Amino acid sequence: MTQTTATAPAVEEPRPTTTTRIHRAWFVAAVTFVTIIGAAAFRSLPGLLIDPLHQEFHWSRGTIGAAVSINLALYGLTAPFAAALMDRFGIRRVVAVALAVIALGSGATVWMTAPWQLLLCWGLLVGLGSGSMALAFAATVTNRWFAERRGLVSGILTAASASGQLIFLPVLSWMVEHHGWRPAAVTVALAALAVVPFVWLLLRDHPADVGLKPYGAEEFVPKPEPALGAARRTVTVLFSAVRTGPFWLLAGTFAICGASTNGLIQTHFVPAAHDHGMPITAAASLLAVVGVFDVAGTIASGWFTDRFEPRRLLAVYYALRGISLLFLPMLLAPSVHPPMIFFIVFYGLDWVATVPPTLALCREQYGEDSAIVFGWVLASHQVGAALVAFLGGVARDTFGSYDVVWYAAGALCAAAALMALVIRRRPVGAPALA
């Protein structure tokens, strides 16, 4: 009996882990980064196709902007449900299906002949697919796989979308200018399909699947049981969050963020620059440069978020963005000149630098429900983007210029800076609001 009890602790002793090897979480983050890059190919396309579709089909810019608007709105509204579905069915399955839907929607556009087909393929299908691949995907991976460096990782994964823009914009703009818009749409479909094997073979849903602790965690975290009633949980979390003031402030600021980035610059910068005589390829190349500095700015923002008060960071980001937009109408010209390059660099650094502090505030305020709450906050981001994508096209049709849109967006960014400052801080140790 004495010998038996003496050997028992040796049987129960946990298997030693190798600390000198790179943690698996970083490989999962790398696969997530590549996946978001593949899905980001479509995000590079709308601004390039407004003029070609207008010329070929004689559709108004408002009609084309409506398809972009549907896409952006669904991108946001799908995100919170996607986060819950990932809890229910796993990250790999949801992301693989989403990529397939993106490929179907983008590839089917080559046969369209009527506006409703554009709304269906470009708006509905790609909107649903890309929404399932939205920033809630990055938030879920970060929350599950990392206990430390979350700000840095969320910044890196957020920058993946900009990296996709950097990679695809010059290529797609060259295709549109020299071979038409259809090869560009096919390229987007193939890019989405190419990422599926990486997702299925290399991505894992939870550290417990491979017997690891989350990066930086002191204790092993068991994999939770699949969450039933994903849609019900998503709506329940929303109903709980909307009863709190911070949710409305976060949603409002992020709606303005979407309006001043995806809805405005990404959708309308290329046609606006073309209105001033700038070639489409040159304007698209400027957007690609935005992607270069977006990567640096977003990663730096994640680093800052780990060290500084996120509310103040948001206020600074929105204030600087608003100021830059007020100067943009004076910078557009037939050729690229130094002040425009300065704007592109400045705007690129600030493009989605708002994401890491916004995600940190969601995590602070709403605890375990933060990924779903962030999904709803992201929905507001895309609703704001959708409104400006549509209204920007209408403004161009009505006034013959985008100037009024730039000025209005600058004013909204000033309001967002003030809203960020009044988000109250949750005391340390206090329970999450939701």
Side-chain angles (χ1 to χ4, degrees):
M1 291 294 293
T2 304
Q3 293 180 349
T4 302
T5 56
T7 58
V11 175
E12 297 179 356
E13 184 177 351
R15 185 176 55 189
T17 58
T18 305
T19 58
T20 58
R21 300 169 64 182
I22 299 176
H23 195 283
R24 178 69 175 268
W26 293 108
F27 292 102
V28 172
V31 173
T32 304
F33 186 90
V34 173
T35 303
I36 296 175
I37 285 179
F42 184 82
R43 310 246 55 85
S44 305
L45 202 55
L48 302 178
L49 298 192
I50 289 179
D51 284 338
L53 293 177
H54 174 70
Q55 293 169 6
E56 178 173 339
F57 297 107
H58 305 290
W59 300 335
S60 70
R61 290 177 176 84
T63 298
I64 300 170
V68 180
S69 179
I70 292 172
N71 173 273
L72 292 172
L74 287 176
Y75 178 92
L77 294 173
T78 305
F81 293 96
L85 288 173
M86 288 176 188
D87 288 343
R88 175 66 178 88
F89 298 106
I91 298 174
R92 281 198 306 171
R93 294 177 183 175
V94 173
V95 173
V97 171
L99 288 168
V101 171
I102 291 174
L104 174 63
S106 182
T109 58
V110 301
W111 292 289
M112 68 182 178
T113 57
W116 70 266
Q117 295 165 343
L118 176 67
L119 298 176
L120 174 64
C121 296
W122 200 357
L124 180 63
L125 291 179
V126 179
L128 290 173
S130 58
S132 300
M133 292 282 304
L135 292 175
F137 171 37
T140 301
V141 170
T142 302
N143 289 346
R144 289 186 182 184
W145 281 89
F146 291 86
E148 294 181 352
R149 302 291 189 268
R150 283 178 168 176
L152 176 63
V153 174
S154 63
I156 292 173
L157 296 183
T158 301
S161 180
S163 300
Q165 175 176 290
L166 166 64
I167 293 169
F168 288 105
L169 256 176
V171 175
L172 295 176
S173 64
W174 180 86
M175 286 184 175
V176 170
E177 191 165 19
H178 293 86
H179 302 286
W181 62 269
R182 288 178 176 83
V186 173
T187 300
V188 170
L190 294 178
L193 287 177
V195 181
V196 174
F198 292 95
V199 171
W200 197 254
L201 295 176
L202 301 177
L203 194 63
R204 292 295 180 269
D205 294 331
H206 196 278
D209 290 340
V210 289
L212 293 176
K213 298 181 292 185
Y215 177 82
E218 296 182 358
E219 298 180 356
F220 182 83
V221 178
K223 183 177 180 178
E225 294 294 326
L228 300 177
R232 182 172 63 252
R233 181 190 173 204
T234 301
V235 175
T236 300
V237 169
L238 173 64
F239 285 160
S240 178
V242 296
R243 294 196 296 268
T244 66
F247 174 82
W248 292 106
L249 292 170
L250 289 169
T253 56
F254 225 40
I256 294 172
C257 179
S260 57
T261 53
N262 300 77
L264 183 59
I265 296 295
Q266 189 162 12
T267 304
H268 294 293
F269 177 81
V270 171
H274 191 55
D275 284 347
H276 287 75
M278 185 180 295
I280 291 178
T281 303
S285 298
L286 288 176
L287 272 186
V289 175
V290 168
V292 175
F293 289 94
D294 185 9
V295 174
T298 307
I299 294 174
S301 179
W303 188 86
F304 289 143
T305 301
D306 287 332
R307 290 161 176 80
F308 299 104
E309 173 57 52
R311 295 156 189 77
R312 295 178 181 176
L313 288 177
L314 283 180
V316 171
Y317 295 157
Y318 285 121
L320 294 177
R321 182 183 299 177
I323 293 171
S324 66
L325 284 172
L326 295 178
F327 283 97
L328 181 58
M330 296 178 282
L331 303 179
L332 292 170
S335 60
V336 180
H337 46 85
M340 173 58 77
I341 295 176
F342 178 80
F343 169 84
I344 291 297
V345 172
F346 187 87
Y347 207 82
L349 291 172
D350 193 47
W351 181 270
V352 285
T354 56
V355 173
T358 301
L359 182 55
L361 288 172
C362 286
R363 192 180 299 119
E364 173 189 308
Q365 299 285 346
Y366 301 103
E368 295 181 356
D369 291 330
S370 61
I372 296 178
V373 172
F374 181 71
W376 285 112
V377 172
L378 177 63
S380 72
H381 180 282
Q382 295 308 116
V383 169
L387 286 173
V388 172
F390 173 65
L391 294 176
V394 172
R396 172 60 178 81
D397 290 333
T398 303
F399 302 108
S401 169
Y402 284 101
D403 288 358
V404 66
V405 185
W406 307 129
Y407 295 136
L412 286 174
C413 288
L418 295 175
M419 292 166 65
L421 289 175
V422 300
I423 299 174
R424 72 175 184 269
R425 187 171 186 175
R426 187 168 65 87
V428 177
L433 295 176

